[in-house]
């Protein structure tokens, strides 16, 4: 079965009988990114994709957009898996724990070999770190300096530690000393251990404090205009120009914010908000249950975030570390049978680096130049470094009674929650590795939303973030089973494929994408028209849309000095000149207004047809056209110094406009950010900017349209008169699509044009002077072109309409999505309300039961309460009353039982589903753990039942 084969390949392990095989599990991620050895079903081949190497499926435009927005290729892999084996602890030695038979080949690209059922399993990882390595060596071997550097460049990165309880995750991440580290065997009876952060020697500090310091070093370097960006060699570092020292100006800013939370019993607590910590909540005394901070979905950035989470802006590493230490004090820690200071929650420290270039007013950074020599508006890059210390998975706690029974229940509850969220994490890892192995992105469901932890880590696992995973392993033989499970999941995690990108603000990303698309469209036009430079009017329109001042246009020589003036041309000039004077004399009249409007239209037409001239009224334009037509041959022969602008044929124009529309439309469909537009564009200024850019593209798309025949009723034209260029009034623009066939359309348009041409003036109705034959011939050619261009225009208009409709559909979808998320939130609320109600119902029934018991226990007291003088009830009545009481009691008991059973059934159904999923995935360990858990639940229920009876 191919799927199974693939899965096994990506499972990252190779089982083989002794002697040990040469093939290693896991990815071979050597320091040379170009040297790829794919032993794991193609894991991480993205990481090794050679910079500049073209993927066959990538198209030209996608390449251009990607290079502008930024993809990544660097010497550090996007996903790194490091295995750390802790040394044997004092108490373990004292208890006589045997060392594991695990074989390590330490170092970068090291291996771990573990025996199972007489067979060796070999795993390969990016780094294998032995028990005697210092924290500094761990930092260096996991190349975290480079990861922090990436964060400074605008990428997200996540570092997390995974492993069984007591394997050294917290030691790796925090490194702080805890009380009770006195070499005694851990016990659940011990008091809550306290962290002694200040007393921790510097060399023992873990990854979090080191990362904080390293990040602030980078920030200082940025501020001091030192080297931040790697030499801007490749496109992926496309943000490098913005981050390079030269571009960092007084209008740039760099801010670090810190937040710290814990997920305890599947609830989110803010470790930096005193009123939100677990202990504060417990001491609050109001008795209400805290449901934890809420997760929300940010549609623009496409990630989950925690609502109302405190974020502290830190100006130095010391300040950030102070917050961190304060948060650590609030973390849930307890002594268990496996670890004296066991983290009972998952903690997430998030350092957000916000880099802004340019100020809010839109002042541009001098060093930053746009594509056409213009500055760019304010740009924002937000990158996050997430440092996660997971709580450890553990086998259920059993055999605790007496004084520690309460603690046991709490620990048990915690362990169940931790196991459950880790179980979801493992399912996410398995699904992602399966997805990479099969390459069926759509089919494999990744259950991110099934736990808060995986929801928050969505971008880190299979997303756009760098990822470093520390798989922590214990050195004793007793934990070999758990170690094997950890190594298997670590190996699967190596198959996850992340695609780090610079996290530009969505609006900036949109601008970059639009610019890239514009560049592609320009290039396409240049190639299609076979010109070195695009027509000036296009660029001018684009500049205008971008807010740049209008450039003076050069006048054509032909207009300034026509060599030959025909009698007709002269007559026409005089005629039109008279009209121009009349228009000047009465600018407010309707004639003057329509003329200026027409002049505008004609200007556009003239420009689109390749004449570069100042706006004129239509008559003037026609006059110039006639002059130019007349002097064309002489201009050519005299090799005019005026820059030649290639005139498009109708076919070329049609093809250019439709292809341009296709390119832009295709780009809009390709880009997710564009889909979000205009929702993603928050800043008003940037929104305007985005619209302007769209307008520029739109203007380009409208760039080559020809004149339109007048809708005036055609008059029969004397056969002796040659055809001339028609007049078009502003109210008749844009032209309507022709309904008849192209041939018929050409015929009828020509007839119409012929009919109106030259016979009467559109303004005054006076007779027009006739044209010469040469002018008439030129005019006829222009008409053909005009008709073809009109067709092109129709195609373009249709495409535009489709584009608009697509945008409308996207907007509708967005609205629906928003509605759906609202409904989802409502459902969640209802569910929590339902749970709350059920809980209250249980309490109520218990209270009823208690009351009934009380009544049963003290029947005489009730008799004593009978007022004197009142005749005591007869034995029959008493018997009936007691039976009624019993019935009531039974009834309430039954109701209670029914509720409990219903809950139990629901829980068991859930468990059944989980077990099914586990069995499907072949997770032997989970199956065992769940069976144990179910047994525990059952025994607990039995115990509760026996206590109750
Ligand atoms: N590399 C190491 N060198 C020395 N001691 C270590 C090392 N790693 C872990 N330890 C010690 O092992 C014990 C357990 O470590 P730690 O608390 O970090 O485990 P953990 O995986 O975080 O456990 P939990 O999941 O229960 O929180 C601690 O006493 C710690 O000091």
């Amino acid at each position: 079965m191919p799927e199974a084969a693939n899965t096994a390949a990506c499972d990252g392990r190779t089982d083989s009988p002794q002697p040990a095989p040469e093939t290693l599990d896991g990815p071979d991620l050597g320091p040379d990114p170009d040297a790829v050895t794919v032993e794991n079903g193609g894991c991480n081949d993205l990481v090794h994709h050679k910079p500049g190497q073209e993927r066959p499926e990538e198209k030209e435009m996608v390449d251009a957009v990607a290079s502008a927005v930024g993809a990544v290729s660097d010497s550090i892999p996007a996903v790194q898996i490091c295995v750390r084996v802790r040394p044997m602890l004092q108490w373990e030695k004292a208890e006589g724990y045997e060392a594991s038979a695990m074989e390590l080949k330490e170092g970068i690209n090291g291996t771990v070999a573990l025996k199972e059922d007489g067979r060796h399993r070999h795993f390969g990882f990016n780094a294998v770190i032995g028990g005697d390595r210092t924290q500094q060596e761990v930092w260096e071997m996991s190349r975290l300096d480079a990861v922090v550097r990436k964060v400074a460049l605008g990428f997200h990165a996540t570092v997390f530690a995974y492993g069984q309880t007591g394997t050294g995750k917290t030691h790796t991440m925090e490194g702080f000393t805890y009380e009770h580290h006195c070499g005694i065997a851990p016990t659940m009876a011990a008091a809550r251990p306290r962290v002694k952060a200040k007393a921790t020697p510097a060399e023992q500090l873990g990854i979090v404090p080191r990362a904080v310091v390293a990040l602030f070093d980078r920030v200082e370097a940025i501020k001091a205009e030192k080297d931040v960006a790697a030499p801007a060699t490749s496109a992926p570092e496309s943000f490098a120009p913005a981050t390079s020292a030269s571009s960092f100006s007084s209008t740039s800013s760099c801010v670090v914010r810190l937040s710290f939370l814990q997920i305890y019993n599947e609830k989110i607590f803010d470790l930096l908000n005193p009123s939100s910590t677990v202990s504060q909540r417990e001491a609050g005394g109001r008795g209400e249950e805290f449901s934890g901070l809420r997760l929300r979905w940010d549609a623009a950035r496409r990630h989950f975030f925690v609502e109302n989470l405190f974020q502290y802006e830190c100006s130095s590493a010391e300040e950030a570390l102070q917050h961190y230490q304060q948060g650590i004090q609030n973390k849930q820690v307890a002594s268990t049978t496996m670890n004296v200071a066991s983290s009972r929650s998952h903690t997430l420290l998030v350092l957000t680096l916000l880099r802004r270039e340019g100020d809010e007013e839109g002042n541009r950074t001098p060093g930053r130049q746009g594509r056409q020599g213009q500055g760019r508006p304010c740009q924002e890059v937000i990158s996050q470094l997430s440092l996660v210390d997971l709580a450890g998975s553990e086998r259920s706690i059993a055999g605790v009674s007496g004084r520690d029974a309460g603690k046991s229940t709490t620990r048990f509850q915690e362990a169940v929650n931790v196991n459950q969220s880790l179980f979801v994490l493992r399912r996410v890892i398995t699904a992602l590795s399966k997805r990479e192995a099969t390459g069926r992105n759509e089919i494999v469901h990744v259950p991110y939303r099934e736990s808060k932890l995986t929801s928050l880590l969505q971008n880190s696992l299979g997303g756009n973030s760098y990822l470093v995973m520390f798989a922590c392993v214990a050195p004793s033989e007793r934990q070999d089973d758990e170690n094997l499970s950890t190594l298997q999941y670590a190996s699967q995690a190596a198959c996850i494929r992340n695609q780090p990108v610079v996290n530009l603000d969505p609006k900036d990303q949109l601008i970059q994408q639009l610019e890239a698309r514009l560049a592609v469209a320009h290039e396409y036009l240049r190639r299609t028209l076979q010109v070195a430079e695009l027509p000036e009017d296009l660029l001018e329109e684009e500049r205008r849309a971008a807010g740049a001042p209008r450039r003076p246009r050069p006048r054509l020589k032909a207009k300034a000095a026509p060599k030959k003036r025909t009698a007709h041309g002269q007559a026409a000039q005089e005629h039109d000149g008279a009209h121009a004077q009349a228009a000047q004399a009465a600018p407010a009249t309707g004639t003057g207004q329509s003329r200026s409007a027409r002049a505008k239209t004609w200007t556009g037409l003239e420009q689109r047809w390749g004449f570069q001239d100042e706006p004129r009224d239509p008559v003037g334009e026609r006059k110039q056209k006639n002059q130019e037509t007349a002097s064309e041959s002489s201009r050519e022969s005299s090799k005019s110094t005026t820059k030649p602008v290639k005139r498009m044929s109708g076919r070329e124009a049609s093809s250019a406009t439709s292809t341009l529309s296709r390119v832009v439309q295709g780009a809009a469909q390709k880009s997710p950010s564009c889909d979000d537009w205009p929702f993603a564009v928050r800043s008003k200024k940037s929104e305007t900017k985005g619209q302007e850019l769209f307008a520029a593209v739109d203007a380009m798309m409208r760039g080559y349209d020809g004149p339109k025949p007048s809708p005036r009723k055609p008059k029969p034209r004397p056969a002796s008169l040659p055809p001339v260029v028609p007049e078009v009034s502003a109210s008749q623009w844009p032209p309507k699509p022709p309904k008849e066939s192209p041939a018929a359309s050409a015929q009828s348009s020509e007839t119409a044009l012929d009919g109106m041409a030259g016979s009467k003036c559109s303004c005054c109705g006076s007779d027009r002077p006739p044209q010469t034959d040469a002018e008439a011939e030129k005019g006829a050619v222009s008409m053909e072109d005009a008709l073809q261009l009109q067709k092109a225009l129709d195609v373009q208009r249709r495409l535009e309409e489709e584009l608009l409709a697509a945008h409308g559909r996207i907007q509708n979808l967005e609205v629906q999505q928003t509605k759906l998320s609202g409904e989802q939130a409502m459902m969640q609320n209802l569910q929590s309300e339902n749970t709350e109600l059920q809980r209250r119902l249980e309490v109520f029934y218990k209270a009823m039961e208690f009351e009934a018991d009380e009544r049963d226990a003290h029947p005489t007291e009730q008799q004593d309460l009978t007022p004197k003088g009142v005749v005591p009830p007869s034995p029959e009545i008493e018997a009936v009353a007691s039976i009624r009481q019993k019935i009531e009691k039974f009834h309430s008991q039954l109701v209670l039982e029914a509720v409990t059973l219903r809950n139990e059934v629901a829980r068991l159904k859930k468990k059944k589903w989980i077990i099914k999923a586990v069995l499907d995935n072949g997770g032997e360990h989970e199956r065992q753990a769940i069976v144990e858990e179910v047994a525990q639940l059952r025994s607990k229920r039995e115990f509760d039942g026996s206590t109750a009876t």
Side-chain angles (χ1 to χ4, degrees), residues 254-274:
C254 199
V255 173
V256 179
R257 296 197 185 121
L258 177 141
S259 66
F260 196 17
L261 62 88
Q262 70 174 346
I263 303 172
Y264 176 64
N265 281 342
E266 225 16 45
K267 289 176 193 167
I268 299 174
F269 292 86
D270 189 344
L271 289 173
L272 300 180
N273 178 356

Side-chain angles (χ1 to χ4, degrees), residues 79-158:
V79 176
Q80 275 193 85
I81 312 292
C82 308
V83 170
R84 187 178 194 190
V85 186
R86 73 157 164 77
M88 192 78 97
L89 300 177
Q90 217 176 324
W91 68 265
E92 287 176 319
K93 287 180 193 161
E95 299 264 317
Y97 279 34
E98 298 245 329
S100 163
M102 197 160 37
E103 287 167 21
L104 301 184
K105 190 182 142 223
E106 283 190 50
I108 306 280
N109 296 329
T111 60
V112 183
L114 206 61
K115 231 179 179 181
E116 194 208 17
D117 303 334
R119 292 176 352 151
H120 263 105
R121 284 186 167 186
H122 286 243
F123 298 89
F125 296 104
N126 297 88
V128 174
I129 304 161
D132 49 355
R133 297 285 181 163
T134 62
Q135 299 279 54
Q136 179 60 27
E137 282 173 315
V138 173
W139 173 264
E140 283 162 9
M141 285 169 83
S142 51
R143 291 182 268 190
L144 285 170
D145 222 17
V147 173
V148 172
R149 206 182 171 87
K150 286 288 175 195
V151 176
L153 282 172
F155 296 92
H156 289 329
T158 301

Side-chain angles (χ1 to χ4, degrees), residues 489-506:
Y489 280 109
S491 200
Q492 278 194 353
C495 296
I496 295 175
R497 190 188 289 207
N498 279 11
Q499 298 186 25
V501 287
V502 172
N503 296 289
L504 270 183
D505 184 87

